[in-house]
Amino acid sequence: QKEVEQNSGPLSVPEGAIASLNCTYSDRGSQSFFWYRQYSGKSPELIMSIYSNGDKEDGRFTAQLNKASQYVSLLIRDSQPSDSATYLCAVEGSGGGADGLTFGKGTHLIIQP
Amino acid sequence: NAGVTQTPKFQVLKTGQSMTLQCAQDMNHNSMYWYRQDPGMGLRLIYYSASEGTTDKGEVPNGYNVSRLNKREFSLRLESAAPSQTSVYFCASNTNRRRGEKLFFGSGTQLSVL
């Protein structure tokens, strides 16, 4: 069974600091990785996707992928109170996306003003 | 452009009652998915439909049935609701024509089974 592991938190970070969120996955053949943000009572929204080893930057967000270690991370620079949410790591299986994504349990992030 | 529309938004059932959750997308997507989300459990796949005319079980299919009515609509049915099915249900879709494609989510249905 495919597994995606995240620390559930809460992770508390001061405003303006860097928030670091981590995720490990079990399916070594996985090729596509996603970070979704979910505010309380809302549906998940995609903030980052990454497919190759290394870093991918988009504004204040940086996704990092290490397939050898089966590890994905998300860095949020200059954290803002509006970044307070649950962050879900999602992995597309080795068979492609036809059977959906496997999600981690999410990390609850709190940015302290 | 409405995207993915789910109805109802809230529902309270008694144990043993049945109901159908409706989902429709207007983006001409091939694939549709039903997830449930429980506190501390993340999103778990119940059923999915890779294309019109096909459905397959996901991680937690017991107690549910689905129907891909046409390309737009994918419904989830609880034949005899149980308290363990109290959850937030999300429908999602994408074209699924290439790897790494994002999911578009509906706004969710909060279901309570008493």
Side-chain angles (χ1 to χ4, degrees), chain A residues 1 31-32 34 36 38 41-44 46 51 88 92-106, chain B residues 31 33 35 37 40-45 48-50 59 90 94 96 98-108:
Chain A
Q1 182 170 347
Q31 298 293 324
S32 304
F34 308 86
Y36 283 80
Q38 186 176 27
K42 302 296 185 181
S43 55
L46 181 70
Y51 315 116
L88 302 168
E92 185 179 273
S94 54
D99 56 353
L101 302 180
T102 300
F103 286 83
K105 295 180 180 180
Chain B
S31 299
Y33 311 84
Y35 285 90
Q37 187 173 35
M41 292 298 294
L43 287 156
R44 292 184 292 170
L45 184 64
Y48 64 98
S49 171
E59 180 186 355
F90 287 101
N94 63 10
N96 195 32
R98 55 181 173 83
R99 285 183 177 273
E101 187 181 343
K102 79 173 195 177
L103 291 175
F104 291 79
F105 283 91
S107 59

Side-chain angles (χ1 to χ4, degrees), chain A:
Chain A
Q1 182 170 347
K2 294 175 281 189
E3 294 182 347
V4 177
E5 300 289 340
Q6 295 181 255
N7 188 325
S8 61
L11 174 65
S12 185
V13 174
E15 183 176 358
I18 296 175
S20 177
L21 305 165
N22 304 314
C23 171
T24 59
Y25 60 94
S26 64
D27 185 350
R28 185 169 288 279
S30 298
Q31 298 293 324
S32 304
F33 307 87
F34 308 86
W35 284 99
Y36 283 80
R37 178 176 63 198
Q38 186 176 27
Y39 293 113
S40 181
K42 302 296 185 181
S43 55
E45 57 176 328
L46 181 70
I47 54 170
M48 288 289 288
S49 57
I50 187 166
Y51 315 116
S52 303
N53 280 330
D55 295 358
K56 178 181 178 183
E57 187 175 320
D58 184 0
R60 296 186 297 111
F61 299 97
T62 299
Q64 300 174 316
L65 174 60
N66 184 326
K67 290 184 180 179
S69 299
Q70 296 176 245
Y71 177 88
V72 191
S73 66
L74 178 70
L75 301 178
I76 306 174
R77 291 182 300 281
D78 187 24
S79 297
Q80 302 297 310
S82 60
D83 295 326
S84 297
T86 296
Y87 289 80
L88 302 168
C89 175
V91 176
E92 185 179 273
S94 54
D99 56 353
L101 302 180
T102 300
F103 286 83
K105 295 180 180 180
T107 297
H108 182 42
L109 176 66
I110 300 171
I111 306 301
Q112 295 178 322

Side-chain angles (χ1 to χ4, degrees), chain B residues 34-100:
Chain B
W34 276 106
Y35 285 90
R36 62 177 286 175
Q37 187 173 35
D38 304 298
M41 292 298 294
L43 287 156
R44 292 184 292 170
L45 184 64
I46 305 170
Y47 270 93
Y48 64 98
S49 171
S51 62
E52 186 179 359
T54 69
T55 60
D56 284 285
K57 295 178 180 179
E59 180 186 355
V60 288
N62 292 343
Y64 305 95
N65 286 300
V66 291
S67 296
R68 183 74 182 267
L69 305 170
N70 48 54
K71 191 170 186 179
R72 291 186 63 250
E73 299 173 285
F74 187 39
S75 63
L76 179 71
R77 182 161 179 83
L78 288 69
E79 290 291 352
S80 179
S84 61
Q85 294 177 304
T86 293
S87 189
V88 179
Y89 292 84
F90 287 101
C91 178
S93 70
N94 63 10
T95 65
N96 195 32
R97 290 200 185 111
R98 55 181 173 83
R99 285 183 177 273

